Amino acid sequence: MRAVTTHQGRLEVAEVPDLEPGPGQILLDVLRCGICGSDLHARTHGDVTADALAQMGYADFIRSRDTVVLGHEFVGTIAAYGPKTRGSWKLGSRVVALPMLGTGDGVQLTGLSPKAPGGYAEQVLVSEAFAFPVPEKVSDDHAALVEPLAVAHHAVRRSQIGSREVAVVVGCGPIGLAVILLLKAAGVRTVVASDLSAGRRELAKRCGADIVVDPRETDPFDAYGERRGHLRSAQALFDLALGSMRAARSVPGLPWARLMRLAEKAGQVPKGPVVFECVGVPGMIDDLVAKAPLRSRVVVVGVCMEPDAIRPSVAIGKEIDLRFVFGYDPAEFHEVLQWIASGRLDPTPLVTGTVGLEGVADAFADLADAGEHAKILIKP
Amino acid sequence: MRAVTTHQGRLEVAEVPDLEPGPGQILLDVLRCGICGSDLHARTHGDVTADALAQMGYADFIRSRDTVVLGHEFVGTIAAYGPKTRGSWKLGSRVVALPMLGTGDGVQLTGLSPKAPGGYAEQVLVSEAFAFPVPEKVSDDHAALVEPLAVAHHAVRRSQIGSREVAVVVGCGPIGLAVILLLKAAGVRTVVASDLSAGRRELAKRCGADIVVDPRETDPFDAYGERRGHLRSAQALFDLALGSMRAARSVPGLPWARLMRLAEKAGQVPKGPVVFECVGVPGMIDDLVAKAPLRSRVVVVGVCMEPDAIRPSVAIGKEIDLRFVFGYDPAEFHEVLQWIASGRLDPTPLVTGTVGLEGVADAFADLADAGEHAKILIKP
């Protein structure tokens, strides 16, 4: 079959061996496969990521010396069932699947391991246990977006944001846009989005962001007007604590328990907004820690592959939470599919281009430009 | 009055101007004042911390050019009330107070600002609103420990640790030991403590740690035997997810909602232990992120003053939470005092020495050695 192979950072359309579904596997004819930021990263920083993953106990992430087929955001039709499958869906049905392939050699990350070729190809293998049928109403394009939207869904769920808290999304590439879509689908009322690119700011609006800023002109933490009690200054916090304690103690005959409840309130730092870091370049985390209000939760969704510098003393003084997020569970993946089918989630603004296998190298160049593109889909 | 002054890193016993209580202030005769790791830091890294605090909106942290009186962990007897005080406690009564002084120039950090001289002195000023009377049963030594124990109490509360979760305390200096005491007082059943020093490991045992390790010999994350489902390897997680999904799907006639609940379980990373970073030197955070099980919460209590390097890709892959903590609220401060009075908290092992004002310089040298000492108290 034909596929786009990657080796030492070079992309090439090539004839590769046909795939044979093994036990528990299904062979799919690929309808669409998205190009992910991780693919761009993996191509150039694969070895750094492979080292990081090896340290956490996954030994088979692609290295620059490997020749691999990328692609882990795909939809396809069932071409054949392997042995030991249930065969519950008809041949030709559309399915999406988590890009995790059960093999004799453990589960492998599809499109990110030499042991599980990805969706930049005419065909791809998936595990039947991780596959879900695609409802009629969901287009091929939208089905291919389930994977990146599941990443965003997981990030929003893990942030534990309440609908009345303020979300600040920094970086409106595909993942930032997906986070905006999922925040709005989750009912968050105030979503502030920040990006340097005018094109991406326009996409952020189309994805439902309530306030969209160019960070060179407007500090996103100043953009939501009404302060909701967020504190930007330690001095303000100290003064607030003293004022509250004075007020509490001036009440004659106040029972001790009630005084202590007021004392607890006096010292409580009002929570800051929930910040989604969706840029993933060195320096972003430290910059957000420095700029965010006291007690902000910073959810790190953008994957920064290089080592990064932070100032723990600033993070400590502001009591910042850094929550690093990765992947999703099968239920989150399926829920996104259902939300698209029901219309709760409309990912139309995400797709800004479609190419054939021959167009992949140019698409990588366009995406690296970080200009006006969001998601480019491959139609093999 | 006599005090220990600090200027350009040099400690000196000197005659300084007498203090006069201003509006809302009480003048105390100091009974005891603890020497804190922050004092050692402030003496050598004051300018870095001052810059960090200036960035978060507190402009008056000490700089090396200032001449200041350190000391923010103290107990004293009431010598005089200033104007606009309630005067609720008799002259001569013992009180402890949050080291935050209301001044005409906003609230200042006592012993950490040139505008609020600290407790390395015969007398100190406190805000009446932040003061609490010391119950009879609490010794002078123990009363001086309320402040550092409140830091630990706040850290444990903010970690949201459950009594059946495993706590791993890395670094058994005064703050690590205080965290161990508060974890046990909070009812946490399994507290693992790790330190390079045999003397400190002995103190950790006396503070109630259940398992104490030398990290050169035993990985603290291997020390608690029964694994409680903690995962150290991504491969194990991927394999577990596939196995669970296969099992869920093999049940004939399983309703979709139930399947999805099982799917959610299948993908859920079992939470790791709650790790308390109480060392505060560069490299510790990254080291713990690399070694801790998947989904660990790492509570950063040790203040690392220098910029620090982390690898976000490892933290992301393991879905680590980094929770930075600072200070406490007045209710937490008071609760510690009550727990000491009731016997729920016995901080006796913390105190390893007492000196006069003349002994402070030597005590700093001893503490910098990080050998066998925990807390040294000053008795002016």
Side-chain angles (χ1 to χ4, degrees), chain B residues 298-378:
Chain B
V298 178
V299 182
V300 182
V301 199
V303 181
C304 170
M305 289 299 169
E306 294 108 288
D308 202 359
I310 59 166
R311 282 165 300 168
S313 53
V314 180
I316 286 172
K318 297 171 85 165
E319 295 220 294
I320 299 291
D321 266 12
L322 284 182
R323 260 177 224 197
F324 295 91
V325 301
F326 179 67
Y328 40 78
D329 63 46
E332 288 166 337
F333 188 92
H334 178 257
E335 196 163 44
V336 163
L337 182 60
Q338 294 308 107
W339 284 7
I340 296 173
S342 73
R344 179 164 176 177
L345 193 58
D346 177 9
T348 307
L350 282 187
V351 181
T352 56
T354 306
V355 296
L357 291 179
E358 296 74 16
V360 172
D362 284 348
F364 265 61
D366 285 349
L367 289 167
D369 235 10
E372 313 304 290
H373 267 298
K375 184 63 71 184
I376 297 179
L377 299 178
I378 302 169

Side-chain angles (χ1 to χ4, degrees), chain A residues 55-56 107 129 131 154 157-158 234-235 239 249 256 264 308 310-311 319 321-323 326 334, chain B residues 55-56 107 128-129 131 154 157-158 234-235 239 249 256 264 308 310-311 319 321-323 326 334:
Chain A
Q55 184 144 32
M56 53 170 285
V107 173
H154 177 67
R157 291 187 75 215
R158 203 162 120 65
Q235 186 68 63
D239 294 350
R249 287 207 150 151
W256 195 250
E264 183 150 29
D308 201 1
I310 60 166
R311 282 165 299 167
E319 295 219 295
D321 265 13
L322 284 182
R323 258 176 226 200
F326 179 66
H334 177 257
Chain B
Q55 184 145 31
M56 53 171 284
V107 173
E128 185 185 42
H154 177 68
R157 291 187 75 215
R158 204 163 119 66
Q235 186 69 62
D239 295 349
R249 287 205 149 154
W256 196 251
E264 183 151 29
D308 202 359
I310 59 166
R311 282 165 300 168
E319 295 220 294
D321 266 12
L322 284 182
R323 260 177 224 197
F326 179 67
H334 178 257

Side-chain angles (χ1 to χ4, degrees), chain A:
Chain A
M1 66 166 182
R2 292 173 72 235
V4 176
T5 60
T6 306
H7 175 69
Q8 304 282 18
R10 220 180 48 245
L11 296 157
E12 209 165 45
V13 180
E15 193 64 32
V16 299
D18 282 346
L19 301 168
E20 194 70 46
Q25 300 179 348
I26 314 180
L27 179 66
L28 301 186
D29 289 324
V30 176
L31 289 168
R32 297 283 187 288
C33 181
I35 298 175
C36 171
S38 301
D39 297 340
L40 280 79
H41 272 305
R43 181 187 168 211
T44 46
H45 295 95
D47 292 334
V48 182
T49 317
D51 289 343
L53 278 160
Q55 184 144 32
M56 53 170 285
Y58 178 67
D60 293 306
F61 199 85
I62 55 170
R63 296 188 174 271
S64 53
R65 63 165 184 259
D66 297 322
T67 299
V68 294
V69 179
L70 294 169
H72 56 274
E73 308 174 350
F74 47 77
V75 55
T77 52
I78 299 175
Y81 280 98
K84 296 187 183 165
T85 47
R86 291 173 304 119
S88 351
W89 309 297
K90 283 187 202 154
L91 290 182
S93 326
R94 292 188 305 161
V95 298
V96 288
L98 279 74
M100 293 169 73
L101 186 68
T103 73
D105 205 8
V107 173
Q108 299 294 336
L109 297 180
T110 305
L112 293 167
S113 156
K115 296 180 178 169
Y120 292 12
E122 291 176 325
Q123 296 192 311
V124 69
L125 293 171
V126 301
S127 276
E128 186 185 42
F130 282 141
F132 300 93
V134 177
E136 193 74 46
K137 282 180 189 162
V138 178
S139 70
D140 293 347
D141 280 11
H142 288 186
L145 298 170
V146 168
E147 204 277 347
L149 289 165
V151 170
H153 188 30
H154 177 67
V156 170
R157 291 187 75 215
R158 203 162 120 65
S159 79
Q160 298 176 293
I161 190 169
S163 60
R164 286 155 183 275
E165 289 189 280
V166 174
V168 176
V169 180
V170 179
C172 300
I175 283 293
L177 295 172
V179 167
I180 294 168
L181 284 169
L182 269 299
L183 283 165
K184 295 312 292 183
V188 175
R189 295 194 198 166
T190 309
V191 177
V192 181
S194 168
D195 200 288
L196 296 170
S197 144
R200 289 187 162 183
R201 288 199 299 276
E202 186 51 40
L203 289 172
K205 268 184 217 156
R206 290 182 55 206
C207 287
D210 301 287
I211 299 167
V212 179
V213 302
D214 178 344
R216 288 164 300 198
E217 288 168 9
T218 309
D219 179 341
F221 302 109
D222 277 332
Y224 45 93
E226 176 208 355
R227 277 336 264 280
R228 296 157 189 268
H230 295 176
L231 289 181
R232 306 275 300 257
S233 135
Q235 186 68 63
L237 171 68
F238 300 158
D239 294 350
L240 183 73
L242 181 63
S244 313
M245 280 301 285
R246 274 197 182 136
R249 287 207 150 151
S250 69
V251 182
L254 188 73
W256 195 250
R258 176 104 182 90
L259 172 65
M260 282 306 105
R261 212 165 308 140
L262 289 171
E264 183 150 29
K265 274 201 166 170
Q268 265 169 11
V269 186
K271 274 200 282 183
V274 183
V275 185
F276 293 85
E277 200 297 87
C278 302
V279 178
V281 300
M284 278 307 299
I285 296 173
D286 190 62
D287 188 58
L288 288 176
V289 166
K291 288 181 181 157
L294 273 57
R295 279 274 178 105
S296 293
R297 304 208 279 295
V298 178
V299 181
V300 182
V301 198
V303 181
C304 170
M305 289 299 168
E306 294 108 289
D308 201 1
I310 60 166
R311 282 165 299 167
S313 54
V314 180
I316 286 171
K318 297 171 86 166
E319 295 219 295
I320 299 290
D321 265 13
L322 284 182
R323 258 176 226 200
F324 295 91
V325 300
F326 179 66
Y328 39 78
D329 63 44
E332 289 166 337
F333 188 92
H334 177 257
E335 195 164 44
V336 163
L337 182 61
Q338 294 308 108
W339 284 8
I340 296 173
S342 72
R344 179 165 176 178
L345 193 58
D346 177 9
T348 307
L350 282 187
V351 181
T352 56
T354 306
V355 297
L357 291 179
E358 296 74 17
V360 172
D362 285 348
F364 266 60
D366 286 350
L367 289 167
D369 236 10
E372 313 303 290
H373 266 297
K375 184 62 71 184
I376 297 180
L377 298 178
I378 303 168
K379 191 175 171 180

